């Protein structure tokens, strides 16, 4: 499912209007009519209202005038509060406002905060239509619109957002100061990035996307969006082929470099997850001090001891890792490694000299802090980083709150700047590629917020890379499979107490589910 930015949606709009000759007023009429229909279907029990339409000065408000006219025509008691100077309303919105007034619609122009509060008190709406801002929101919301948003959120009424909850940036899901908390959002043509990426996704309520008549076919390729939502259909398209006649070398050999005293489980989980991802061979290389433990923990995966001091890998391990990498198709680096100066040097050496596909997670990411320059020194070979918001915050020197407020743009820009695939974990994990493509994952549940689940994801990504999966596809497919595995666990026993080991056992079932047409 493609996800549009504001600019990409405007371009599609312009294509329909300027190139195809479809009048904007027709699109607006279609948009408003679809919204009105959805309201009447969903909230019949609220008939005849009162309904308050809160309209801004642009075309989002224009949709609101169409909705007000149609609902009033069907007997609803509708009042439209216009938070704009009538002189400044133009184009299709002005046309629809004029038609609404010609039809006897109750329209009140509001320029004063006190009067707005008073009107809301008087009207006591059962339904509120948020037609304040849509894809045209361009900055922090202040003043009268901000008061309107607060009133909409305080009201007991059901709130239906037109196109987007006002305050959500369509292009990245950022909140522009304040935001409407909608029960339902009716959007047009395609979902926007802001509907699916958090934090915006948290305010959308139930999302309904309706066709307003922009032809889907023949859209110029330069107008097509760069973002996609990963659903089962997209995940299915990313699954690597599996030849019927194969030997264990066919499905690749993953090298996992991980573990340290007290963190041997991370290495084992990554190794097991890789095997459950369909990878042919897995070697888990660990500090010699903990090698015996991994020998016991792991059965199907091979293990190799590496030079260490007090359980932490040293630079002396580098040559052995390079030797092992020569007979592997991918390398997963980081789970449970811990941190030291020697490990930082080792990581830099491996990142800059090994050119096989590489996924770095957990302590591997912490070891990158302060030496991101080594990413651009990397000669060749895809590199996937998989930070959670805390690790991302350390990598870029921001607070977790700042990361979470601006996830989409930060992930996309980081991937491009450092020429890596960035998987930024979260309720809606983002996978960004250096060329600007972005996937947003929608599978999963909060059962994933438990120790070890990240190690499973790392092993899953590494296993898919070793099977020859394209790196952007491997990170995207792994994110979806990881979330889907959590959904399957929860189907039987909820999300509380979900363990990483349970996720691993579900991976083959998820893979089988994807194999079914
Ligand atoms: N193809 C479609 O999706 C169609 C969408 N339609 C609707 O049109 C809006 C987009 O309309 P636009 O006029 O571009 O902008 P908005 O109405 O979203 O914004 C209103 C207006 O507000 C001004 N503004 C921006 N930021 C701020 C701010 N922080 N504070 C105050 N004012 C602000 C800005 O000047 C805008 O003009 C889309 O969402 C749909 O609802 C069409 O109806 C049909 C086709
Ligand atoms: K809106």
């Amino acid at each position: 499912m493609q996800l549009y930015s504001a600019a990409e949606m405007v371009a599609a709009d312009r294509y329909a209007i300027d190139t195809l000759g479809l009048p904007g007023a027709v699109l607006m009429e279609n948009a408003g009519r679809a919204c009105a229909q959805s309201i009447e279907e969903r909230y019949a029990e609220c008939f005849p209202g009162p309904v308050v339409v809160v309209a801004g000065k642009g075309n989002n408000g224009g949709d609101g005038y169409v909705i007000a006219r149609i609902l009033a025509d069907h007997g609803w008691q509708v009042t439209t509060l216009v938070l704009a100077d009538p002189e400044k309303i133009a184009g299709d919105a002005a046309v629809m406002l004029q038609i609404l007034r010609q039809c006897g619609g109750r329209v009140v122009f509001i320029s004063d905060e006190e009067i707005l509060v008073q009107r809301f008190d008087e009207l006591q709406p059962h339904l509120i239509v948020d037609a304040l801002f849509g894809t045209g929101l361009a900055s922090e919301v202040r003043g009268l619109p901000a008061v309107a948003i607060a009133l909409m959120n305080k009201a007991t009424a059901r709130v239906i957002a037109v196109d987007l909850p006002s305050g959500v940036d369509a292009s990245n899901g950022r909140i522009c100061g304040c935001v409407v908390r909608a029960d339902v959002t009716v959007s047009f043509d395609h979902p926007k990035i802001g509907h699916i990426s958090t934090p915006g996704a948290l305010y959308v309520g139930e999302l309904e996307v309706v066709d307003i008549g922009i032809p889907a076919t023949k859209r110029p390729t330069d107008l097509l969006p760069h973002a996609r939502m990963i659903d089962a259909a997209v995940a299915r398209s990313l699954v690597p082929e599996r030849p019927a006649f194969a030997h264990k070398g066919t499905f690749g050999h993953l090298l996992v470099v991980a573990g340290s005293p007290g963190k041997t489980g991370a290495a084992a989980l990554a190794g097991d997850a890789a095997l459950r991802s369909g990878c042919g061979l897995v070697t888990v290389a660990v500090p010699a001090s903990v090698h015996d433990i991994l020998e016991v923990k792991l059965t199907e995966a091979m293990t190799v001891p590496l030079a260490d001091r007090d359980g932490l890998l040293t630079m002396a391990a580098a040559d052995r890792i390079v030797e092992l990498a020569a007979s592997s198709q991918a390398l997963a680096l980081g789970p449970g490694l811990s941190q030291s100066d020697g490990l930082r040097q080792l990581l830099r050496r491996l990142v800059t000299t090994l050119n096989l596909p590489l996924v770095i997670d957990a302590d591997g990411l912490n070891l990158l802090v302060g030496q991101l320059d080594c990413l651009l020194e990397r000669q060749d070979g895809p590199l996937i980083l998989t930070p959670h918001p805390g690790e991302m915050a350390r990598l870029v020197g921001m607070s977790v709150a700042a990361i979470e407020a601006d996830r989409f743009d930060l992930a996309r820009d980081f991937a491009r700047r450092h020429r890596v695939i960035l998987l930024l974990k979260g309720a809606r994990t983002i996978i960004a590629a250096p060329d600007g493509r972005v996937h947003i994952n929608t599978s999963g549940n909060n059962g994933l917020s438990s120790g070890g689940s990240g190690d499973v994801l790392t092993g899953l990504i590494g296993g898919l890379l070793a099977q020859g999966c394209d790196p952007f596809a491997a990170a995207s497919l792994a994110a979806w499979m990881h979330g889907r595995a959590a959904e399957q666990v929860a189907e039987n026993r909820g999300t509380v107490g979900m363990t990483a080991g349970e996720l691993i056992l579900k991976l083959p079932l998820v893979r089988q589910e994807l194999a079914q047409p």
Side-chain angles (χ1 to χ4, degrees):
M1 174 81 75
Q2 292 174 323
L3 299 174
Y4 276 64
S5 68
E8 288 159 348
M9 197 68 246
V10 167
D13 236 13
R14 297 311 328 157
Y15 165 68
I17 296 167
D18 301 338
T19 308
L20 304 181
L22 198 57
V26 169
L27 297 177
M28 188 171 282
E29 180 70 14
N30 292 346
R33 187 165 292 280
C35 279
Q37 184 179 334
S38 180
I39 289 169
E40 292 192 289
E41 284 167 3
R42 290 169 182 278
Y43 297 113
E45 80 279 3
C46 295
F47 185 81
V51 178
V52 168
V53 174
V54 181
K57 77 176 172 68
N59 286 339
N60 198 240
D63 296 346
Y65 307 138
V66 176
I67 296 165
R69 185 188 87 233
I70 292 168
L71 291 181
D73 196 43
H74 293 177
W76 292 79
Q77 294 163 13
V78 186
T79 302
T80 300
L81 304 180
V82 183
L83 277 53
D85 175 344
E87 304 303 311
K88 294 206 175 126
I89 298 171
D92 297 332
V95 169
M96 294 304 181
L97 176 58
Q98 181 57 20
I99 295 170
L100 171 62
R101 302 179 82 177
Q102 288 290 91
C103 295
R106 196 174 314 130
V107 175
V108 180
F109 290 93
I110 306 256
S111 56
D112 176 89
E113 294 179 9
E114 294 294 307
I115 293 173
L116 178 61
V117 172
Q118 184 189 335
R119 284 289 180 170
F120 252 81
D121 276 348
E122 287 164 8
L123 288 165
Q124 291 297 310
H126 292 172
L127 287 183
I128 294 172
V129 176
D130 162 24
L132 199 52
F133 298 124
T135 53
L137 181 65
S139 55
E140 192 93 352
V141 178
R142 293 187 179 84
L144 194 61
V147 172
I149 288 174
L151 288 168
M152 286 192 260
N153 287 337
K154 202 173 74 175
T156 53
R158 297 298 184 85
V159 178
I160 299 92
V162 177
D163 204 13
L164 287 142
S166 294
V168 172
D169 184 329
S171 300
N172 49 40
R174 215 175 13 223
I175 304 302
C176 297
C178 54
V179 61
V180 168
R181 187 175 296 281
D183 294 291
V184 175
T185 296
V186 181
S187 186
F188 314 121
D189 188 65
H190 277 81
K192 309 318 181 275
I193 295 162
H195 290 133
I196 306 300
S197 193
T198 53
L202 303 173
Y203 296 91
V204 165
E206 187 181 335
L207 177 64
E208 184 179 340
V209 180
V210 297
D211 179 349
I212 59 170
I214 303 174
T217 54
K218 295 197 176 56
R219 280 189 199 182
T221 47
D222 61 324
L223 293 188
L224 291 180
H226 293 76
R228 267 199 314 178
M229 180 170 82
I230 311 173
D231 50 22
V234 171
R236 188 165 289 117
S237 72
L238 302 174
V239 175
E241 292 293 317
R242 275 182 87 80
F245 299 100
H247 54 81
K248 55 180 179 292
T250 313
F251 300 123
H253 187 167
L254 173 69
L255 174 60
V256 177
V257 174
S260 63
K263 298 182 180 179
T264 54
L269 286 167
D272 275 338
L275 283 164
R276 293 282 182 181
S277 78
C279 183
L281 288 167
V282 175
T283 295
V284 179
V286 297
S289 315
V290 297
H291 178 252
D292 293 350
I293 297 168
L294 268 300
E295 283 270 43
V296 173
K297 277 182 173 291
L298 292 167
T299 304
E300 295 84 356
M302 296 172 282
T303 58
V304 169
L306 297 172
D308 71 337
R309 182 175 302 118
D310 306 327
L312 302 189
L313 296 181
T314 63
M315 274 304 281
D319 291 346
R320 183 76 174 109
I321 293 171
V322 171
E323 183 191 339
L324 290 166
S327 55
S328 307
Q329 278 67 52
L331 167 58
L333 187 60
L337 273 183
S338 297
Q339 297 180 56
S340 70
D341 288 343
L343 275 161
R344 280 172 62 80
Q345 289 168 39
L346 178 61
L347 181 102
R348 186 178 193 94
R349 160 97 186 266
L350 298 176
V351 165
T352 52
T353 58
L354 289 180
N355 58 19
L356 80 170
L358 174 53
V359 50
I360 299 180
D361 182 37
D363 282 326
L365 296 168
N366 294 327
L367 294 167
L368 267 178
V369 173
Q371 55 175 353
L372 286 178
D373 59 302
C374 74
L375 300 177
L376 292 176
E377 281 175 36
R378 183 170 168 77
Q379 307 305 320
D380 189 9
L383 179 52
I384 300 174
L385 305 186
T386 58
H388 59 55
E391 289 156 345
M392 185 70 178
R394 286 191 289 275
L395 276 175
V396 298
M398 291 170 67
S399 68
V400 172
I403 299 289
E404 289 297 79
D406 197 10
R407 292 170 51 84
F408 185 88
D409 284 356
L410 284 170
R412 185 198 52 202
D413 297 348
F414 185 98
R416 186 177 289 143
R417 187 178 324 118
H418 298 287
R419 287 207 305 272
V420 297
I421 305 271
L422 186 83
L423 182 149
L424 177 58
K425 293 171 185 170
R428 292 285 168 88
T429 289
I430 293 172
I431 301 97
D435 62 4
R437 287 175 299 157
V438 182
H439 279 161
I440 302 178
N441 183 47
T442 56
S443 70
N445 54 47
N446 62 16
L448 289 171
S449 315
S450 69
S453 115
D455 305 319
V456 171
L457 179 62
T458 303
L460 180 52
I461 295 171
L464 290 170
L465 286 172
Q467 294 170 63
C469 212
D470 158 84
F472 184 56
S476 304
L477 176 58
W480 189 86
M481 287 180 66
H482 190 239
R484 183 69 194 121
E487 290 170 0
Q488 289 201 2
V489 171
E491 273 161 17
N492 304 325
R493 43 171 252 9
T495 60
V496 178
M498 190 182 294
T499 63
E502 288 175 300
L503 295 174
I504 293 177
L505 296 177
K506 291 291 185 184
L507 293 177
L509 296 173
V510 173
R511 188 83 186 251
Q512 187 184 39
E513 188 180 70
L514 288 176
Q516 281 144 17

